[in-house]
Amino acid sequence: MTETSIIISGFGGQGTLFSGQVLAYAALDNGKEVTWIPSYGPEMRGGTAHCTVIISDEPIGSPLVRNPDVAVVLNLPSLDKYEYTVKADGVLIVNASLINRTIERENIRNIYIPANEIAEEIGLSRMANMVMLGGMTYMKPVLTLEMIKEALSEHIPARHRRTLPMNFTAMERGYAFAQEAFEKVTA
Amino acid sequence: MSKQLLKGNEAFAEAAIRAGCEGFFGYPITPSTEFLEYMAKRMPELGRAFVQAESEVAAINMVYGAACTGKRVMTASSSPGISLMMEGISYLAGTEVPAVIVNVMRGGPGLGNIAPAQGDYYQMVKGGGHGDYFPIVLAPASVQEAINIMGVAFDLADKYRAVVHMIVDGNMGQMMEPAELPPMRELPKKPPNWAVTGAKGRKPNFLSSIYIDPVEQEVTNLRLLKRWLEIEKNEVRFAESGLEDAEIAVVGFGTSGRVASSAIRTAREEGIKVGLLRPITLAPFPEKRLEEISKQVRRILVVEMNSGMMLDDVNRVVQGRVPVEFYGRMGGITPLPDEILDEIRRVATNRMPVNGDARQQWITRLEKIVGGQA
């Protein structure tokens, strides 16, 4: 069955919910079935926020999973929470800017992306979520970078539209970072 | 119109508007609040009525008053808010005026929590308010199904002058899914002939739920009951899959039915002959179809996000023809596909009769899981 489950988790304000929505829009625009479901506990700024995105070629039953194929973790509490839930042979994308430990699991593919540093180089630290999304797209190409960029450009709120080129750069940098890291390993 | 990515609560609200809802009266409560927020923005744009009332009690009485004018009206709330509305809901039923009431259910009892649950089954399906009345209860399982059923909800409310509950849980209210909205329906040119609209040039109509004379009340009760029997005959709705050759039938509604469908897909890949019956109308309950199924399968597994409430209705229909087993999560926990898959596997290999009470045995299994989490 071609179903991919992705959890994106971080502090409230890091844009985890929105980056999940961008993925969901890209899935929809490319003819996939998709569900997006947020955590909606009594959370406040600085607390954790996560969403689960499921992308499939078939109608989706459960919008929630115990063991996702992919976890994108933007802060340490999220790594602690999801490291051991990712499926064997699954993918873990770690924001190395805010997470100062390495992972313990060995039976997953992972990458450490200094997402905040990369975002700051581009000029906006809030873009860390898009750097991570770019890195994820390399590690788990369920949708292409072009599809995700297209979706973002369609659905970005009007008040943020001027940041679109920076968002694109952030995604490309994240993707390139993952690609380089892996080509180095396999070279 | 093509599919859009829509958030549950907002999609339900827009679907209600397109079904001709002309008045919304409510009070915010998580996880249903986006419904009210959306209405607050959209209804005035269309010149329709929106009031954020001072309480749920006020809101339902505004619904009551507005329903008497023959317009399509509604409210949306979540479990504790619905409890506050129960008196008014009984008055609506007693006065025989139509209204649609959406319950985005959360963990309880009491203040409970804001996580998704199905613990309001008894309250919704068995009436909840006082007196002899019978609400229609719809339980969709996806954003698209809820959009589609919203139009049906208003049609049924009008057709039977009845209270229609649409119940979903917090998952459904909060999630986004691709869905297509129907076109905007035209509003009716004339109010129904029972409505109170000023009585210019005609005999006044009188709407009330007071029948001081018990004889008159009983006549009313009989009318409501006969109308309900018509509803039972005509309005049963359900979805099913994989039951043609099934040896095991899973019965679940809303989110738990939908989570079960994931587990069933995997179980089928493992060669287990299992199918799903997902009631869309919980009242009237799909009794005839369930009875047929109970004569075909070897075992039934009921899955819910409560302590086994629909289980009682399934047992009532199955009448011991085959063993009925139960798996539920409570308090705002959504069961995950792997839990239900384990249950299906267990049920598939168990050829013994259920020795004793299915709910009691489920408690023993659940305590292991809950104990493990503590």
Side-chain angles (χ1 to χ4, degrees):
Chain A
M1 189 174 46
T2 49
E3 188 170 291
T4 307
S5 47
I6 300 153
I7 287 178
I8 307 176
S9 182
F11 289 126
Q14 278 186 303
T16 57
L17 300 188
F18 181 68
S19 52
Q21 282 182 8
V22 173
L23 262 183
Y25 280 120
L28 167 63
D29 293 345
N30 288 280
K32 305 269 190 192
E33 299 284 343
V34 64
T35 57
W36 173 92
I37 190 163
S39 57
Y40 67 92
E43 282 147 2
M44 48 192 165
R45 195 172 293 270
T48 63
H50 71 267
C51 64
T52 305
V53 178
I54 299 183
I55 299 170
S56 179
D57 292 324
E58 290 172 57
I60 295 164
S62 175
L64 299 165
V65 291
R66 187 179 313 283
N67 304 115
D69 296 297
V70 180
V72 180
V73 294
L74 278 82
N75 65 358
L76 184 60
S78 301
L79 177 64
D80 292 343
K81 189 169 173 189
Y82 292 110
E83 177 173 356
Y84 279 91
T85 69
V86 175
K87 266 183 205 162
D89 302 321
V91 172
L92 185 60
I93 320 282
V94 179
N95 179 10
S97 301
L98 297 184
I99 299 173
N100 59 0
R101 74 166 174 87
T102 53
I103 68 161
E104 294 157 7
R105 289 274 298 273
E106 288 177 352
N107 61 346
I108 50 176
R109 296 194 302 128
N110 71 287
I111 186 153
Y112 304 96
I113 303 179
N116 289 58
E117 275 93 335
I118 293 176
E120 273 156 28
E121 280 170 33
I122 299 164
L124 206 52
S125 63
R126 288 208 315 272
M127 301 275 155
N129 61 339
M130 292 296 135
V131 176
M132 295 291 278
L133 197 56
M136 192 213 88
T137 307
Y138 175 79
M139 297 291 286
K140 187 80 183 177
V142 56
L143 298 161
T144 67
L145 200 57
E146 282 313 307
M147 288 173 180
I148 296 171
K149 283 159 77 174
E150 186 68 27
L152 181 66
S153 123
E154 291 282 320
H155 301 286
I156 194 169
R159 64 183 189 281
H160 294 313
R161 179 151 286 280
R162 58 180 181 79
T163 68
L164 194 60
M166 282 157 92
N167 274 282
F168 284 173
T169 309
M171 281 186 212
E172 286 159 6
R173 289 284 303 275
Y175 186 96
F177 185 91
Q179 189 174 27
E180 269 171 45
F182 268 78
E183 280 170 3
K184 223 178 279 169
V185 172
T186 49
Chain B
M1 202 161 171
S2 63
K3 280 189 177 180
Q4 305 161 262
L5 194 64
L6 296 172
K7 181 162 195 166
N9 280 329
E10 295 176 0
F12 312 155
E14 180 62 30
I17 287 167
R18 294 188 183 203
C21 175
E22 290 190 76
F24 181 97
F25 312 90
Y27 189 80
I29 178 169
T30 308
S32 73
T33 300
E34 297 86 354
F35 201 124
L36 173 137
E37 273 176 351
Y38 188 89
M39 285 296 197
K41 185 164 137 274
R42 256 310 254 157
M43 293 292 265
E45 282 174 9
L46 297 164
R48 301 185 188 182
F50 168 88
V51 180
Q52 179 175 324
E54 67 271 34
S55 71
E56 285 88 348
V57 176
I60 195 67
N61 282 288
M62 291 176 187
V63 169
Y64 182 26
C68 291
T69 70
K71 303 276 192 195
R72 291 191 154 183
V73 294
M74 75 178 310
T75 188
S77 186
S78 175
S79 308
I82 296 288
S83 289
L84 282 164
M85 292 179 179
M86 273 300 160
E87 182 200 40
I89 292 171
S90 175
Y91 280 51
L92 279 156
T95 309
E96 298 166 72
V97 288
V100 173
I101 295 154
V102 175
N103 182 0
V104 186
M105 296 182 285
R106 60 187 240 181
L111 201 52
N113 57 49
I114 60 175
Q118 297 180 328
D120 303 353
Y121 182 93
Y122 282 150
Q123 183 188 36
M124 297 283 90
V125 172
K126 305 303 177 187
H130 58 280
D132 280 31
Y133 79 98
F134 309 90
I136 296 169
V137 183
L138 306 168
S142 68
V143 173
Q144 184 69 67
E145 192 172 74
I147 289 170
N148 299 347
I149 213 90
M150 190 61 85
V152 174
F154 279 102
D155 291 346
L156 291 176
D158 281 353
K159 182 175 172 189
Y160 297 105
R161 293 176 62 174
V163 170
V164 177
H165 292 298
M166 185 178 102
I167 65 172
V168 293
D169 64 67
N171 286 316
M172 290 268 302
Q174 296 297 319
M175 75 189 291
M176 291 177 93
E177 274 191 300
E180 200 173 336
L181 287 158
M184 188 76 87
R185 284 203 216 169
E186 259 186 58
L187 298 176
K189 301 232 161 30
K190 263 178 37 192
N193 56 18
W194 51 259
V196 287
T197 55
K200 218 174 189 177
R202 62 162 170 80
K203 264 176 53 185
N205 286 330
F206 180 74
L207 293 170
S208 168
S209 73
I210 305 173
Y211 297 93
I212 295 291
D213 182 353
V215 174
E216 277 184 50
Q217 180 69 66
E218 192 180 45
V219 168
T220 304
N221 291 144
L222 186 60
R223 184 169 62 244
L224 290 175
L225 176 58
K226 284 169 76 177
R227 199 176 292 157
W228 174 249
L229 295 178
E230 278 301 300
I231 294 169
E232 278 194 326
K233 207 164 22 167
N234 300 329
E235 307 300 348
V236 170
R237 286 172 169 79
F238 57 86
E240 64 171 72
S241 61
L243 284 171
E244 308 75 32
D245 65 340
E247 293 175 1
I248 297 163
V250 178
V251 187
F253 69 94
T255 293
S256 43
R258 148 173 206 162
V259 175
S261 73
S262 290
I264 288 168
R265 191 145 54 186
T266 316
R268 276 268 166 191
E269 286 164 11
E270 293 176 7
I272 301 172
K273 287 186 173 165
V274 53
L276 176 70
L277 175 68
R278 184 168 61 74
I280 296 171
T281 50
L282 293 171
F285 198 64
E287 296 178 2
K288 223 163 86 190
R289 183 64 188 124
L290 180 58
E291 189 186 323
E292 288 165 11
I293 291 165
S294 73
K295 290 173 180 165
Q296 173 206 320
V297 300
R298 169 169 90 55
R299 238 173 167 81
I300 290 172
L301 171 66
V302 176
V303 178
E304 297 181 77
M305 283 152 65
N306 60 40
S307 56
M309 296 181 176
M310 187 178 67
L311 173 66
D312 288 341
D313 281 325
V314 171
N315 274 323
R316 176 171 59 79
V317 175
V318 174
Q319 294 181 6
R321 273 183 289 267
V322 289
V324 177
E325 299 220 38
F326 177 67
Y327 186 75
R329 297 303 302 265
M330 302 176 288
I333 306 267
T334 302
L336 293 173
D338 59 304
E339 290 169 63
I340 301 177
L341 180 60
D342 282 347
E343 285 288 305
I344 293 170
R345 287 176 183 147
R346 187 183 61 75
V347 166
T349 50
N350 187 1
R351 297 199 169 256
M352 301 293 285
V354 178
N355 203 359
D357 179 51
R359 193 188 268 114
Q360 187 62 51
Q361 295 180 7
W362 157 68
I363 290 172
T364 312
R365 297 197 301 280
L366 183 69
E367 276 181 333
K368 281 183 198 146
I369 297 171
V370 173
Q373 284 172 348

XYZ file of all heavy atoms in Angstrom, chain A residues 1 3 20-29 32-43 56 58-67 155, chain B residues 3-5 7 30-31 105-106 114-116 169-172 174-178 255 258-259 261-262 265-266 269 329 334-339 373:
565
model
N 0.849 -1.197 0.000
C 0.000 0.000 0.000
C 0.882 1.244 0.000
O 1.825 1.348 0.764
C -0.886 -0.020 1.236
C -1.949 1.039 1.220
S -3.068 0.863 2.618
C -1.951 0.617 3.982
N 1.060 4.337 1.186
C 0.590 5.356 2.117
C 1.789 5.823 2.928
O 2.542 5.009 3.430
C -0.492 4.763 3.024
C -1.164 5.794 3.898
C -2.390 5.242 4.617
O -3.414 4.957 3.962
O -2.320 5.094 5.851
N 3.022 21.384 7.519
C 2.190 20.207 7.243
C 1.089 20.523 6.240
O 0.773 19.728 5.352
N 0.524 21.732 6.380
C -0.537 22.131 5.438
C 0.014 22.295 4.018
O -0.654 21.941 3.052
C -1.189 23.437 5.892
C -2.175 23.236 7.025
C -2.859 24.523 7.446
O -2.714 25.559 6.810
N -3.598 24.447 8.532
N 1.224 22.827 3.930
C 1.832 22.990 2.598
C 1.975 21.612 1.926
O 1.644 21.439 0.751
C 3.194 23.705 2.699
C 3.908 23.717 1.354
C 3.009 25.131 3.208
N 2.442 20.632 2.722
C 2.540 19.267 2.199
C 1.170 18.758 1.744
O 1.036 18.136 0.686
C 3.024 18.334 3.313
C 4.476 17.961 3.408
C 4.666 16.971 4.557
C 4.946 17.320 2.097
N 0.161 19.009 2.583
C -1.186 18.523 2.288
C -1.725 19.152 1.001
O -2.320 18.474 0.162
C -2.119 18.803 3.460
N -1.497 20.465 0.841
C -1.940 21.141 -0.386
C -1.222 20.541 -1.601
O -1.847 20.298 -2.639
C -1.643 22.645 -0.309
C -2.649 23.440 0.499
C -2.265 24.160 1.616
C -3.993 23.480 0.108
C -3.180 24.893 2.356
C -4.910 24.210 0.836
C -4.504 24.918 1.963
O -5.421 25.645 2.683
N 0.079 20.298 -1.445
C 0.845 19.747 -2.567
C 0.315 18.363 -2.936
O 0.204 18.015 -4.119
C 2.326 19.674 -2.206
N -0.038 17.582 -1.920
C -0.581 16.250 -2.176
C -1.902 16.351 -2.936
O -2.124 15.676 -3.945
C -0.772 15.503 -0.858
N -2.777 17.228 -2.438
C -4.089 17.413 -3.084
C -3.922 17.887 -4.525
O -4.552 17.342 -5.442
C -4.923 18.420 -2.288
C -6.179 18.963 -2.980
C -7.183 17.848 -3.247
C -6.833 20.054 -2.155
N -3.051 18.889 -4.724
C -2.877 19.454 -6.067
C -2.315 18.436 -7.042
O -2.423 18.610 -8.258
C -1.947 20.681 -6.004
C -2.590 21.836 -5.241
O -3.817 21.786 -5.019
O -1.867 22.773 -4.849
N -3.382 13.290 -5.008
C -3.279 12.279 -3.945
C -4.422 12.446 -2.952
O -4.988 13.533 -2.814
C -1.944 12.449 -3.194
C -0.710 12.419 -4.065
C -0.200 11.019 -4.185
C 1.172 11.002 -4.855
N 1.541 9.649 -5.235
N -4.684 11.360 -2.222
C -5.535 11.473 -1.040
C -4.663 11.998 0.090
O -3.474 11.663 0.177
C -6.084 10.095 -0.642
C -6.948 9.438 -1.701
C -8.341 10.044 -1.794
O -8.746 10.743 -0.839
O -9.018 9.828 -2.808
N -5.249 12.798 0.971
C -4.445 13.356 2.061
C -5.322 13.694 3.272
O -6.492 14.043 3.125
C -3.654 14.606 1.578
C -4.596 15.732 1.182
C -2.663 15.085 2.627
N -4.749 13.523 4.452
C -5.361 14.064 5.667
C -4.312 14.854 6.430
O -3.126 14.517 6.397
C -5.903 12.965 6.603
O -4.848 12.070 6.947
C -7.033 12.171 5.962
N -4.756 15.910 7.090
C -3.897 16.737 7.953
C -4.638 16.906 9.261
O -5.802 17.304 9.269
C -3.678 18.098 7.288
C -2.959 19.122 8.119
C -1.620 19.373 8.151
C -3.546 20.053 9.048
N -1.343 20.391 9.030
C -2.492 20.824 9.607
C -4.853 20.296 9.480
C -2.708 21.827 10.547
C -5.072 21.292 10.427
C -3.999 22.056 10.944
N -3.990 16.532 10.338
C -4.669 16.684 11.629
C -3.687 17.259 12.641
O -2.571 16.775 12.778
C -5.332 15.363 12.076
C -6.241 15.583 13.277
C -4.322 14.266 12.378
C -7.228 14.444 13.500
N -4.097 18.341 13.308
C -3.182 19.006 14.253
C -3.338 18.436 15.659
O -4.353 17.822 15.983
C -3.680 20.445 14.232
C -5.162 20.310 14.059
C -5.378 19.073 13.206
N -2.329 18.664 16.495
C -2.566 18.527 17.929
C -3.363 19.763 18.297
O -3.074 20.843 17.822
C -1.241 18.518 18.671
O -0.511 19.694 18.392
N -4.369 19.635 19.129
C -5.109 20.849 19.477
C -5.365 20.894 20.981
O -6.378 21.348 21.446
C -6.404 20.979 18.668
C -7.459 19.949 18.973
C -8.439 20.177 19.928
C -7.466 18.745 18.301
C -9.405 19.235 20.207
C -8.430 17.792 18.586
C -9.394 18.046 19.534
O -10.351 17.103 19.815
N -4.383 20.401 21.730
C -4.510 20.438 23.187
C -4.508 21.871 23.690
O -4.355 22.806 22.913
N -4.668 22.047 24.995
C -4.663 23.403 25.562
C -3.231 23.937 25.584
O -2.613 24.051 26.623
C -5.218 23.207 26.976
C -4.940 21.778 27.305
C -4.875 21.022 26.025
N -2.698 24.200 24.393
C -1.293 24.566 24.283
C -1.119 26.068 24.135
O -1.993 26.762 23.673
C -0.653 23.847 23.090
C -0.338 22.390 23.432
C -0.484 21.470 22.244
O -0.795 21.958 21.156
O -0.301 20.261 22.428
N -1.647 9.395 0.413
C -1.905 8.041 -0.069
C -2.486 8.069 -1.480
O -3.002 9.090 -1.937
C -2.891 7.343 0.877
O -3.170 6.044 0.425
N -4.793 5.807 -2.064
C -6.122 5.245 -1.808
C -6.817 6.078 -0.737
O -6.167 6.801 0.006
C -5.979 3.808 -1.295
C -5.496 2.816 -2.330
C -5.192 1.473 -1.677
O -6.102 0.917 -1.052
O -4.045 1.018 -1.774
N -8.145 5.952 -0.613
C -8.840 6.669 0.455
C -8.215 6.337 1.815
O -7.828 5.193 2.073
C -10.273 6.134 0.374
C -10.430 5.711 -1.043
C -9.083 5.202 -1.470
N -8.115 7.328 2.671
C -7.410 7.171 3.943
C -8.397 6.830 5.053
O -9.422 7.493 5.203
C -6.631 8.466 4.278
C -5.533 8.681 3.223
C -6.013 8.393 5.677
C -4.966 10.080 3.206
N -8.078 5.781 5.801
C -8.894 5.435 6.964
C -8.500 6.317 8.122
O -8.891 7.478 8.215
N -7.654 5.788 8.987
C -7.252 6.536 10.172
C -6.395 7.742 9.803
O -5.415 7.609 9.078
C -6.462 5.628 11.110
O -5.984 6.389 12.201
N -6.738 8.926 10.331
C -5.873 10.098 10.111
C -4.708 10.141 11.101
O -3.886 11.038 11.036
C -6.822 11.269 10.347
C -7.836 10.752 11.316
C -7.963 9.276 11.053
N -4.678 9.192 12.028
C -3.637 9.146 13.050
C -2.874 7.837 12.923
O -3.441 6.828 12.516
C -4.254 9.223 14.446
C -5.053 10.499 14.763
C -5.899 10.293 15.998
C -4.140 11.684 14.931
N -1.585 7.854 13.279
C -0.784 6.633 13.266
C 0.038 6.551 14.546
O 0.343 7.566 15.160
C 0.197 6.584 12.063
C -0.547 6.418 10.764
C 1.087 7.820 12.026
N 0.376 5.341 14.938
C 1.281 5.188 16.073
C 2.731 5.321 15.608
O 3.544 5.945 16.251
C 1.090 3.816 16.735
C 1.880 3.679 18.030
C 1.685 2.326 18.701
N 0.290 1.936 18.787
C -0.573 2.423 19.675
N -0.177 3.282 20.578
N -1.831 2.022 19.674
N 3.042 4.701 14.448
C 4.413 4.657 13.956
C 4.488 5.304 12.579
O 4.195 4.674 11.569
C 4.903 3.207 13.893
C 4.788 2.512 15.250
O 4.025 1.570 15.422
N 5.518 3.012 16.224
N -0.895 28.829 -1.928
C -1.664 28.892 -0.682
C -1.048 29.760 0.408
O -1.598 29.860 1.485
C -1.885 27.471 -0.141
C -2.605 26.590 -1.114
N -3.957 26.719 -1.361
C -2.164 25.603 -1.930
C -4.315 25.828 -2.272
N -3.245 25.140 -2.635
N -12.032 19.824 -5.777
C -11.769 19.586 -4.361
C -10.849 20.645 -3.772
O -9.890 21.067 -4.403
C -11.118 18.214 -4.194
C -12.113 17.085 -4.245
C -11.442 15.782 -3.863
C -12.436 14.648 -3.844
N -11.794 13.382 -3.478
N -11.157 21.040 -2.545
C -10.292 21.955 -1.800
C -9.878 21.262 -0.511
O -10.557 20.344 -0.058
C -11.063 23.221 -1.393
C -11.734 23.982 -2.495
C -12.803 24.893 -1.918
O -13.976 24.573 -1.897
N -12.380 26.056 -1.412
N -8.792 21.741 0.081
C -8.398 21.236 1.389
C -9.197 22.014 2.431
O -9.014 23.219 2.574
C -6.900 21.438 1.584
C -6.252 20.675 2.739
C -6.337 19.176 2.520
C -4.800 21.101 2.910
N -10.954 22.448 6.407
C -10.952 22.085 7.813
C -12.367 21.689 8.220
O -13.331 22.396 7.899
C -10.477 23.263 8.657
C -10.425 22.929 10.133
C -9.563 23.902 10.901
C -9.253 23.291 12.266
N -8.188 23.947 12.971
N -14.319 24.581 22.571
C -13.405 23.676 21.863
C -13.926 22.249 22.005
O -14.399 21.908 23.090
C -11.988 23.767 22.483
O -11.614 25.126 22.533
C -10.982 22.970 21.700
N -13.862 21.405 20.986
C -13.247 21.613 19.673
C -14.234 21.964 18.546
O -14.041 21.564 17.413
C -12.625 20.241 19.406
C -13.553 19.259 20.082
C -14.189 19.984 21.235
N -17.922 16.127 19.533
C -17.802 15.526 20.873
C -16.368 15.509 21.407
O -15.410 15.340 20.669
C -18.317 14.086 20.827
C -19.780 13.973 20.492
S -20.338 12.249 20.516
C -19.642 11.642 18.989
N -16.270 15.652 22.745
C -14.984 15.648 23.421
C -15.040 14.746 24.653
O -16.104 14.246 25.013
C -14.590 17.072 23.799
C -15.585 17.760 24.727
C -15.219 19.213 24.926
N -14.962 19.513 26.330
C -14.636 20.720 26.781
N -14.523 21.734 25.944
N -14.414 20.928 28.062
N -10.618 18.354 25.965
C -11.051 18.790 24.630
C -10.675 17.780 23.556
O -10.833 18.033 22.375
C -10.458 20.180 24.296
C -8.929 20.141 24.308
C -10.976 21.228 25.260
C -8.294 21.460 23.865
N -10.192 16.607 23.960
C -9.778 15.589 22.991
C -11.000 14.845 22.423
O -12.060 14.833 23.034
C -8.814 14.618 23.663
N -10.815 14.217 21.261
C -11.960 13.590 20.580
C -12.541 12.390 21.340
O -11.794 11.574 21.864
C -11.350 13.085 19.262
C -10.008 13.699 19.164
C -9.560 14.054 20.523
N -16.576 13.795 16.199
C -15.701 14.023 17.341
C -14.672 15.089 16.978
O -14.616 15.546 15.839
C -15.030 12.720 17.787
C -14.125 12.178 16.713
O -13.100 12.825 16.414
O -14.437 11.113 16.133
N -13.862 15.449 17.965
C -12.880 16.507 17.770
C -11.951 16.267 16.586
O -11.542 17.215 15.913
N -11.611 15.011 16.308
C -10.763 14.715 15.142
C -11.381 15.279 13.869
O -10.717 15.938 13.074
C -10.609 13.197 14.944
C -9.689 12.558 15.960
O -8.625 13.084 16.250
N -10.102 11.432 16.503
N -12.665 15.004 13.702
C -13.368 15.425 12.489
C -13.474 16.944 12.404
O -13.406 17.519 11.326
C -14.776 14.826 12.476
C -14.808 13.336 12.273
S -14.952 12.943 10.548
C -16.463 13.802 10.136
N -11.377 19.115 13.655
C -10.079 19.773 13.542
C -9.302 19.402 12.284
O -8.392 20.115 11.877
C -9.222 19.430 14.766
C -9.795 19.945 16.076
C -9.865 21.453 16.126
O -8.955 22.139 15.689
N -10.966 21.985 16.613
N -9.600 18.238 11.701
C -8.751 17.772 10.592
C -9.069 18.496 9.287
O -10.136 19.083 9.122
C -8.869 16.258 10.412
C -10.154 15.801 9.769
S -10.331 14.001 9.836
C -9.052 13.504 8.729
N -8.080 18.463 8.387
C -8.296 18.970 7.036
C -8.247 17.808 6.071
O -7.384 16.925 6.187
C -7.208 19.980 6.658
C -7.286 21.284 7.421
S -5.915 22.385 6.997
C -6.672 23.352 5.680
N -9.168 17.823 5.118
C -9.215 16.796 4.072
C -9.675 17.453 2.778
O -10.422 18.437 2.821
C -10.258 15.730 4.431
C -9.764 14.628 5.303
C -10.787 13.500 5.387
O -11.919 13.719 5.832
O -10.434 12.379 5.004
N -9.290 16.880 1.656
C -9.844 17.392 0.402
C -11.337 17.093 0.337
O -11.758 15.979 0.668
C -9.098 16.589 -0.675
C -7.923 15.987 0.015
C -8.335 15.792 1.435
N -15.263 8.410 13.566
C -13.818 8.195 13.536
C -13.448 6.747 13.843
O -12.568 6.185 13.188
C -13.115 9.144 14.531
O -13.264 10.490 14.058
C -11.629 8.842 14.637
N -13.833 4.673 10.897
C -12.850 5.008 9.872
C -11.466 4.458 10.243
O -10.742 3.962 9.380
C -12.913 6.519 9.732
C -11.708 7.208 9.392
C -11.976 8.649 9.133
N -10.909 9.031 8.249
C -10.882 10.085 7.490
N -11.888 10.906 7.505
N -9.872 10.324 6.708
N -11.101 4.523 11.525
C -9.841 3.931 11.963
C -9.902 2.414 11.743
O -8.937 1.797 11.290
C -9.543 4.269 13.450
C -8.295 3.541 13.930
C -9.357 5.771 13.622
N -11.392 0.897 9.454
C -11.236 0.565 8.031
C -9.757 0.414 7.668
O -9.411 -0.404 6.810
C -11.944 1.594 7.140
O -11.225 2.804 7.128
N -8.874 1.179 8.321
C -7.431 0.999 8.102
C -6.984 -0.381 8.587
O -6.226 -1.080 7.909
C -6.625 2.059 8.861
O -6.790 3.309 8.286
N -8.152 -3.155 6.292
C -7.373 -3.252 5.059
C -6.137 -4.142 5.288
O -5.857 -5.032 4.493
C -6.964 -1.847 4.587
C -6.400 -1.794 3.203
C -6.781 -0.530 2.473
N -6.425 0.658 3.261
C -6.747 1.906 2.919
N -7.443 2.138 1.828
N -6.390 2.921 3.673
N -5.437 -3.912 6.400
C -4.261 -4.727 6.708
C -4.663 -6.172 7.005
O -4.005 -7.117 6.545
C -3.499 -4.147 7.921
O -3.408 -2.730 7.757
C -2.114 -4.736 8.048
N -5.191 -8.064 3.932
C -3.915 -8.443 3.307
C -3.329 -9.677 3.979
O -2.605 -10.443 3.358
C -2.909 -7.276 3.379
C -3.225 -6.153 2.402
C -2.479 -4.847 2.720
O -1.568 -4.872 3.568
O -2.852 -3.814 2.112
N -11.871 2.815 23.380
C -10.999 3.707 24.149
C -11.887 4.849 24.633
O -12.849 5.213 23.952
C -9.844 4.243 23.298
C -8.887 3.177 22.790
C -8.240 2.317 23.860
N -7.487 3.041 24.854
C -6.156 3.253 24.821
N -5.461 2.781 23.807
N -5.544 3.905 25.793
N -8.129 8.329 21.000
C -8.576 7.746 19.741
C -7.830 6.422 19.541
O -6.601 6.409 19.627
C -8.262 8.680 18.560
O -8.898 9.947 18.802
C -8.773 8.119 17.244
N -8.534 5.312 19.309
C -7.811 4.059 19.060
C -7.019 4.175 17.762
O -7.438 4.871 16.844
C -8.925 3.019 18.935
C -10.128 3.785 18.521
C -9.978 5.159 19.115
N -5.880 3.516 17.711
C -5.065 3.553 16.504
C -5.250 2.242 15.731
O -5.660 1.230 16.307
C -3.607 3.794 16.866
C -3.363 5.197 17.458
C -1.949 5.350 17.957
C -3.693 6.283 16.440
N -4.950 2.274 14.424
C -5.229 1.083 13.596
C -4.592 -0.199 14.138
O -5.200 -1.260 14.070
C -4.630 1.461 12.237
C -4.664 2.944 12.203
C -4.470 3.400 13.620
N -3.373 -0.098 14.697
C -2.715 -1.326 15.160
C -3.455 -1.976 16.324
O -3.477 -3.197 16.447
C -1.250 -1.052 15.525
C -1.109 -0.012 16.622
O -1.629 1.103 16.445
O -0.503 -0.319 17.661
N -4.097 -1.155 17.176
C -4.881 -1.730 18.277
C -6.067 -2.521 17.739
O -6.368 -3.620 18.205
C -5.460 -0.615 19.165
C -4.460 0.140 19.996
C -5.101 1.383 20.618
O -6.038 1.247 21.421
O -4.674 2.503 20.278
N 0.638 2.333 30.087
C 0.895 3.739 29.759
C 1.158 4.572 31.006
O 1.794 5.612 30.938
C -0.320 4.327 29.025
C -0.392 3.859 27.578
C -1.683 4.269 26.913
O -2.617 4.702 27.572
N -1.745 4.128 25.609
